[in-house]
Amino acid sequence: MNNQKRTAFRFILLLGIVSFFGDITYEAGRSVTGPYLAILGASAGIVGLVAGLGEFIGYALRMVSGYFADRTRSYWLLTIVGYALIASIPLMAVAGHWEIAAVFLVMERMGKAIRTPARDTILSHATKQVGRGFGFGVHEAIDQFGAIIGPLIFSAVFLLTGGYREGFAILWIPAVLTLVTLLIAKSKVPSPEKFETGGIQQKTEGGKVLSGTFWFYTLFIFLSVAGFANFQLIAYHLKVKEIVSDLRIPIFYAIAMGVDAIVALIIGKTYDKIGFTSLITIPILTLPIPFLAFSHNYSFVIISIVLWGAVMGIHETIMRAAIADIVPIERRGTAYGIFNTVYGISWFLGSVIIGFLYDISMNFIFFFVVFMEIISVFVFFMLRRKK
């Protein structure tokens, strides 16, 4: 491993540690959002709406932040500001009504919207040195260790005090460590674009134009993500149907995050070997999740949690890696913004639809998911021909 590749790998590890502390903070909160909102008086439809709205805003704003990042080249500034808003999660401890909790949840998602295109652009430069899939996979794996620890913090709090507010208050510690580590990373590599100074080996149609491949890819993501049930609604189901206790819900989320970390490394290496073909795993693994997650069978629920974590690992790894491989470096922040916006719109619509269908009939949920995933498969093969 040459010096530049070694430096790039160490930088990826450092950014992974930033995400590690960040995930301890906000994934801990996300693991109990459904039950917490239910305690504060929210219905299933409201939980789906709040979760979907948060994801929508958190992704829709990425189009603006990504474009702004490319125009100003202020990648580090946007990353720092975005991570600072993670403080919204510890503030959940003072929320006395579901409306207040919803505001804090949306604020955190806004922070993620601000930082993600800029951070992923920074990360994409370093992954050029070690392999796109592998680099994003390593980052995601470290990230998910934090996502495992976060929910377990709530489980520990439940064992000791049984309170949600105490759990949220403890999250001030990782929130502060997130910013400290990020500033260290910036001081180590203030100009990460130097990792990619030799140009970019593209499969695109022009230097500064987003290719047709990119738009087909984005359509595929929109369709496949729409049928992906969010964990908040799954957790809501587990609580209101009394399938598992409050104590076990964050543990289930931790299991999903552990699966996410393992799958991220595997799918990342797979992507580097076979490329876009690996994307077919997204609809294949997404399709059975609602059938299992919204059942009353404990074993089926466990399987759905494993599948949910696997799909998340694929989303967070090769979805991002593919963007870096098909988009010119000059438009990468914009492309990440557009991609994430479409992802968020899809998750918002899917979450709202699945949430309200939950109150009507499970059969409607199953039909909706099957329909979306089958169409996404057809678009996938169109994407393959385009490539």
Side-chain angles (χ1 to χ4, degrees), residues 168-309:
F168 283 116
I170 288 174
L171 298 179
W172 278 112
I173 298 173
V176 172
L177 289 175
T178 300
L179 283 177
V180 172
T181 311
L182 180 62
L183 293 175
I184 293 174
K186 181 180 183 298
S187 69
K188 295 289 185 181
V189 185
S191 303
E193 65 274 6
K194 292 181 179 179
F195 288 126
E196 207 169 345
T197 54
I200 185 168
Q201 296 177 353
Q202 296 276 14
K203 298 176 183 178
T204 58
E205 292 137 16
K208 294 188 177 181
V209 178
L210 294 176
S211 68
T213 300
F214 169 78
W215 295 112
F216 267 99
Y217 173 71
T218 303
L219 177 60
F220 165 73
I221 297 305
F222 175 85
L223 294 169
S224 61
V225 171
F228 185 54
N230 63 58
F231 187 85
Q232 290 93 328
L233 191 55
I234 295 174
Y236 179 92
H237 171 77
L238 298 181
K239 178 176 177 60
V240 298
K241 299 300 182 182
E242 299 182 345
I243 298 172
V244 299
S245 66
D246 285 2
L247 174 64
R248 291 188 180 183
I249 291 176
I251 293 177
F252 277 16
Y253 193 74
I255 291 172
M257 295 300 97
V259 173
D260 182 330
I262 295 171
V263 170
L265 291 174
I266 296 173
I267 199 67
K269 275 293 188 181
T270 302
Y271 174 84
D272 286 337
K273 292 181 179 179
I274 66 175
F276 269 43
T277 302
S278 57
L279 292 168
I280 192 62
T281 56
I282 296 173
I284 290 176
L285 296 181
T286 299
L287 187 58
I289 290 176
F291 293 91
L292 302 171
F294 296 125
S295 71
H296 291 75
N297 185 292
Y298 187 84
S299 297
F300 286 173
V301 169
I302 291 292
I303 295 172
S304 74
I305 295 302
V306 172
L307 288 175
W308 193 90

Side-chain angles (χ1 to χ4, degrees), residues 50-224:
V50 170
L53 180 62
E55 295 299 331
F56 170 71
I57 292 176
Y59 283 101
L61 289 180
R62 297 184 196 194
M63 182 179 294
V64 177
S65 66
Y67 176 77
F68 184 75
D70 278 343
R71 288 297 300 270
T72 64
R73 319 301 289 180
S74 302
Y75 298 110
W76 275 120
L77 176 61
L78 291 173
T79 302
I80 292 170
V81 171
Y83 271 114
L85 286 174
I86 279 182
S88 301
I89 295 301
L91 286 172
M92 291 276 285
V94 301
H97 304 277
W98 70 260
E99 293 90 347
I100 297 175
V103 170
F104 287 138
L105 288 171
V106 171
M107 285 177 61
E108 188 280 321
R109 292 291 90 185
M110 288 176 63
K112 192 169 180 64
I114 292 171
R115 71 179 180 262
T116 298
R119 184 208 61 196
D120 284 352
T121 300
I122 290 172
L123 185 60
S124 72
H125 296 317
T127 61
K128 177 69 174 179
Q129 294 292 322
V130 301
R132 301 289 192 199
F134 177 68
F136 277 104
V138 168
H139 177 268
E140 174 65 9
I142 298 173
D143 177 289
Q144 292 314 110
F145 281 120
I148 294 171
I149 294 174
L152 293 180
I153 288 176
F154 260 99
S155 292
V157 170
F158 288 150
L159 284 173
L160 296 174
T161 68
Y164 283 90
R165 297 182 188 278
E166 292 82 357
F168 283 116
I170 288 174
L171 298 179
W172 278 112
I173 298 173
V176 172
L177 289 175
T178 300
L179 283 177
V180 172
T181 311
L182 180 62
L183 293 175
I184 293 174
K186 181 180 183 298
S187 69
K188 295 289 185 181
V189 185
S191 303
E193 65 274 6
K194 292 181 179 179
F195 288 126
E196 207 169 345
T197 54
I200 185 168
Q201 296 177 353
Q202 296 276 14
K203 298 176 183 178
T204 58
E205 292 137 16
K208 294 188 177 181
V209 178
L210 294 176
S211 68
T213 300
F214 169 78
W215 295 112
F216 267 99
Y217 173 71
T218 303
L219 177 60
F220 165 73
I221 297 305
F222 175 85
L223 294 169
S224 61

